[in-house]
């Protein structure tokens, strides 16, 4: 039986590999296993894996809170994890402005991690997409300018998100470029 620390390293590498291939669910599983292995071994790498687990969880658009598991629950209020738990909370509540504020306030604990920094743009695109879908749901007509103000991004980025959503059949509609 391999030592838990060795299995932690293997699972963490597997999670990073799945992240690079944009296989968020598989990465989520590997990071959770790595976290449990590191935790069993008492290795400090468990905190990094827990951060990566939260990141993969958000990218996978999972409805399951990773801190609902008994293994992760004790770490929810850990000072190194608090920024990620705050991000997760604002993500789950579709509060884009709060999400961006947390990223700004906690630059050191989030952006100093090179691995997390690689996926921040993906994460921002994911939350913006979720917020955009929720925002336009009750409307039959809405201006790109209004969406741009709500998401706090340029109109070109809103149009790009909308085009992607329309082409992926996640939103039924069209963009009237003549009467913006």
């Amino acid at each position: 039986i391999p030592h838990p620390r060795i299995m932690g390293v293997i699972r963490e590498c597997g999670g990073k590999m799945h992240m690079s291939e944009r296989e968020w669910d598989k990465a989520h599983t590997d990071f959770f296993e790595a976290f449990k292995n590191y935790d069993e071994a008492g290795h400090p790498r468990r905190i990094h894996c827990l951060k990566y687990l939260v990141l993969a969880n958000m990218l996978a658009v999972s409805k399951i809170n990773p801190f609902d598991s008994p293994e992760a629950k004790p770490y929810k209020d850990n000072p190194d994890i608090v920024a990620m738990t705050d991000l997760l909370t604002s993500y789950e509540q579709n509060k884009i402005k709060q999400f961006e504020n947390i990223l700004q306030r906690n630059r050191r604990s989030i952006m100093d991690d090179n691995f997390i920094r690689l996926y921040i743009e993906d994460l921002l695109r994911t939350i913006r997409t979720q917020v955009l879908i929720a925002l336009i749901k009750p409307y039959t007509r809405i201006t790109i300018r209004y969406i741009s103000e709500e998401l706090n991004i340029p109109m070109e980025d809103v149009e790009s998100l909308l085009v992607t959503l329309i082409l992926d059949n996640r939103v039924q509609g069209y963009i009237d470029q003549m009467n913006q």
Side-chain angles (χ1 to χ4, degrees):
I1 297 176
H3 191 276
R5 183 170 168 262
I6 293 169
M7 287 306 298
V9 170
I10 292 169
R11 294 309 288 257
E12 181 182 359
C13 288
K16 287 181 175 182
M17 178 195 71
H18 289 303
M19 289 285 282
S20 71
E21 294 172 357
R22 306 228 172 318
E23 295 174 338
W24 314 126
D25 290 322
K26 290 178 181 177
H28 178 275
T29 303
D30 274 350
F31 286 133
F32 186 63
E33 291 302 318
F35 165 74
K36 289 194 310 190
N37 287 130
Y38 282 136
D39 194 36
E40 184 182 334
H43 196 277
R45 237 6 245 162
R46 66 181 165 236
I47 299 298
H48 292 283
C49 280
L50 193 52
K51 284 181 178 182
Y52 303 158
L53 170 64
V54 172
L55 176 66
N57 187 69
M58 289 186 281
L59 288 168
V61 193
S62 174
K63 299 292 180 207
I64 300 166
N65 187 325
F67 293 102
D68 287 345
S69 75
E71 297 90 351
K73 192 171 262 171
Y75 296 96
K76 187 174 186 172
D77 297 322
N78 182 307
D80 295 328
I81 299 292
V82 168
M84 290 303 282
T85 58
D86 290 347
L87 268 184
L88 182 63
T89 301
S90 61
Y91 174 84
E92 289 172 338
Q93 297 171 353
N94 280 345
K95 294 185 177 177
I96 186 77
K97 289 180 173 89
Q98 181 180 340
F99 188 88
E100 290 172 342
N101 286 339
I102 292 166
L103 279 177
Q104 290 297 325
R105 270 195 330 265
N106 298 286
R107 272 195 114 48
R108 191 183 57 76
S109 65
I110 297 172
M111 299 300 270
D112 280 358
D113 187 314
N114 291 330
F115 183 73
I116 292 176
R117 193 170 48 237
L118 286 173
Y119 297 98
I120 288 298
E121 282 305 314
D122 290 317
L123 191 55
L124 283 168
R125 187 169 181 82
T126 302
I127 189 170
R128 285 175 181 148
T129 301
Q130 278 187 217
V131 172
L132 175 60
I133 290 170
L135 181 68
I136 66 175
K137 194 174 210 136
Y139 295 99
T140 54
R141 292 184 144 198
I142 190 169
T143 64
I144 290 178
R145 174 172 279 116
Y146 174 73
I147 297 169
S148 171
E149 290 166 3
E150 288 297 308
L151 295 180
N152 198 26
I153 58 174
M155 290 174 44
E156 296 79 26
D157 293 352
V158 171
E159 195 169 325
S160 171
L161 280 174
L162 281 169
V163 167
T164 303
L165 289 171
I166 291 168
L167 291 176
D168 290 346
N169 284 325
R170 292 178 65 196
V171 168
Q172 297 298 315
Y174 65 93
I175 299 170
D176 183 355
Q177 292 182 320
M178 298 299 284
N179 299 313
Q180 285 190 19

